[in-house]
Amino acid sequence: MVFKRLLGSLGVGGPTVDTVLAPGAVLPGGALSGQVHLKGGNTDFTIEHITLELVARVEAEHDGGESEGTVVFDRVSVGGNFRLAAGEPHSVPFSVMLPWETPVTELYGQSLGIVLGVRTELAVAGAKDKGDLDPLAVRPLPAQEAILETLGQLGFGFKSADLEYGHIGGTGQQLPFYQEIELAPSPRYAHQVNEIEVTFLANPGGLEVVLEADKRGGFFSGGHDAVTRFTVNHHDVEQIDWHAEVDSWIRRLVEHHASSGGHGSYGQGGPYGHSGSYGHGGSHHDGHYGHGAPHNAHSGPIHKDEHGHGEHHHDGGHRSGPGMGTAIAAGAAGLAVGVVGGMVAAEVIDEVGDFFEGDDEEEGDEG
């Protein structure tokens, strides 16, 4: 077990901390369990509180181009208000619920290149130090996996995934960023679109699925793209004919853009059976898709605000992503994520390592 000594405001003789997460990937909206192991320093300390921060590496667009930065998207107190004697070992078990919109970092056990972490903060004697930082692995919800699996069966292939700082208008998005999963088109649609981007926005009731097509001839105008939104309920996953469902989504997306030249909008409906207003203009309920699946699927005009609002800390300049290559697989294997070559896999690992090491250095500078 490797303990990290809390330096900065607590000094060299301060306590040490090592947060150990339970093995395996967790689900969005699921429980993240583990233990915070402490060891007393050169003297007695009162541990005022132990807080876990969920952090993400997020891309942000601005007037100067693009940059990457760290965003804290949740903070949870897991203990505190106890005396830690000099040299004394002490462990604090925890189980915290992840936000429903927590991004997916892996698919079929392989990394998507998304970087999430759990950072441990200790408050001692009125001072706070951010110490331990551990990678967080998140696997898809059943509905997310079913949709991605079906896209693979329809011939789409994984290209890349990233986190974009900003808000998708007309949705129930809660976090200050959203995940985009970019897919290469199936042969059926290769002459119409360059790629399709999928965004999942989960909540306790179900899942909003946002689809955007990169039409042949150039991207749609930024900031006001006419993308489509569909919703499914978590409890209907086993009843849905996913092949017919997802195929209808793609057809409506591509046909809509082909007929409207990338502009205009579908009607809209509130998520999970509740009517609501999204975007501008009138609305209508799109009803059910597929073979009478017992769930609600809506589409509506929404737009992506990739500049976002609120506080965000940027790194200087632009850092390119890992450029992870993939294998395009169809059939029963579904959307297979195949990392091409050991060098690419190493790049992903280096990207994750650079994030955590660099973040630790930044926090140390702040202390």
Side-chain angles (χ1 to χ4, degrees):
M1 182 177 295
V2 178
F3 283 88
K4 176 170 179 177
R5 185 169 297 281
L6 296 179
L7 303 176
S9 57
L10 300 187
V12 176
T16 54
V17 60
D18 181 38
T19 298
V20 178
L21 304 180
V26 295
L27 289 170
L32 172 66
S33 301
Q35 293 200 42
V36 178
H37 299 292
L38 303 172
K39 188 173 183 180
N42 295 342
T43 185
D44 294 357
F45 284 93
T46 296
I47 307 299
E48 297 172 357
H49 72 74
I50 304 171
T51 300
L52 300 182
E53 292 185 338
L54 303 183
V55 299
R57 194 64 152 179
V58 177
E59 297 180 0
E61 294 187 2
H62 46 79
D63 293 340
E66 289 186 355
S67 63
E68 289 188 340
T70 302
V71 172
V72 176
F73 63 96
D74 201 14
R75 283 175 54 89
V76 182
S77 178
V78 296
N81 194 27
F82 62 89
R83 193 73 173 170
L84 184 66
E88 176 192 2
H90 184 84
S91 294
V92 178
F94 64 84
S95 181
V96 300
M97 304 305 293
L98 294 182
W100 280 95
E101 291 180 16
T102 299
V104 175
T105 67
E106 65 176 51
L107 182 60
Y108 307 118
Q110 297 195 46
S111 172
L112 300 181
I114 298 297
V115 183
L116 302 180
V118 179
R119 184 165 55 195
T120 307
E121 176 187 278
L122 246 61
V124 180
K128 295 180 181 180
D129 267 285
K130 300 181 189 298
D132 208 20
L133 183 62
D134 301 274
L136 173 61
V138 181
R139 57 190 174 93
L141 291 163
Q144 294 171 327
E145 185 169 309
I147 292 168
L148 293 174
E149 174 75 14
T150 303
L151 285 166
Q153 293 173 355
L154 292 172
F156 291 84
F158 176 84
K159 292 178 64 176
S160 65
D162 58 23
L163 304 181
E164 296 284 345
Y165 190 73
H167 190 271
I168 304 178
T171 69
Q173 181 184 340
Q174 300 295 312
L175 295 184
F177 58 83
Y178 54 90
Q179 181 174 18
E180 286 186 338
I181 299 175
E182 299 178 0
L183 306 177
S186 66
R188 176 180 176 183
Y189 298 110
H191 66 289
Q192 295 173 285
V193 296
N194 289 319
E195 68 180 22
I196 287 180
E197 297 176 350
V198 182
T199 294
F200 296 120
L201 299 173
N203 63 49
L207 187 69
E208 289 183 85
V209 185
V210 180
L211 299 178
E212 180 178 7
D214 169 14
K215 187 180 178 184
R216 288 289 182 187
F219 281 96
F220 300 124
S221 58
H224 297 283
D225 297 344
V227 296
T228 60
R229 178 187 65 89
F230 303 91
T231 66
V232 294
N233 295 321
H234 293 307
H235 59 77
D236 290 332
V237 172
E238 298 299 326
Q239 286 73 47
I240 296 174
D241 181 343
W242 284 110
H243 190 281
E245 185 72 24
V246 176
D247 185 55
S248 73
W249 294 352
I250 299 299
R251 282 189 289 104
R252 291 174 71 89
L253 173 67
V254 174
E255 291 169 2
H256 166 67
H257 285 308
S259 63
S260 64
H263 300 286
S265 64
Y266 289 133
Q268 61 252 8
Y272 318 112
H274 300 285
S275 61
S277 177
Y278 299 89
H280 305 281
S283 66
H284 68 270
H285 193 290
D286 285 327
H288 300 281
Y289 298 107
H291 298 276
H295 71 288
N296 300 306
H298 312 284
S299 63
I302 58 182
H303 67 275
K304 294 182 178 180
D305 170 18
E306 296 184 345
H307 296 281
H309 303 283
E311 185 176 347
H312 176 68
H313 302 285
H314 297 264
D315 288 341
H318 171 67
R319 296 177 59 208
S320 60
M324 186 169 63
T326 61
I328 300 176
L335 193 69
V337 180
V339 178
V340 180
M343 290 183 63
V344 178
E347 288 176 9
V348 175
I349 294 172
D350 288 344
E351 180 77 7
V352 174
D354 290 345
F355 165 57
F356 289 119
E357 291 173 8
D359 190 79
D360 282 347
E361 292 172 0
E362 291 171 7
E363 294 298 340
D365 293 340
E366 292 175 4

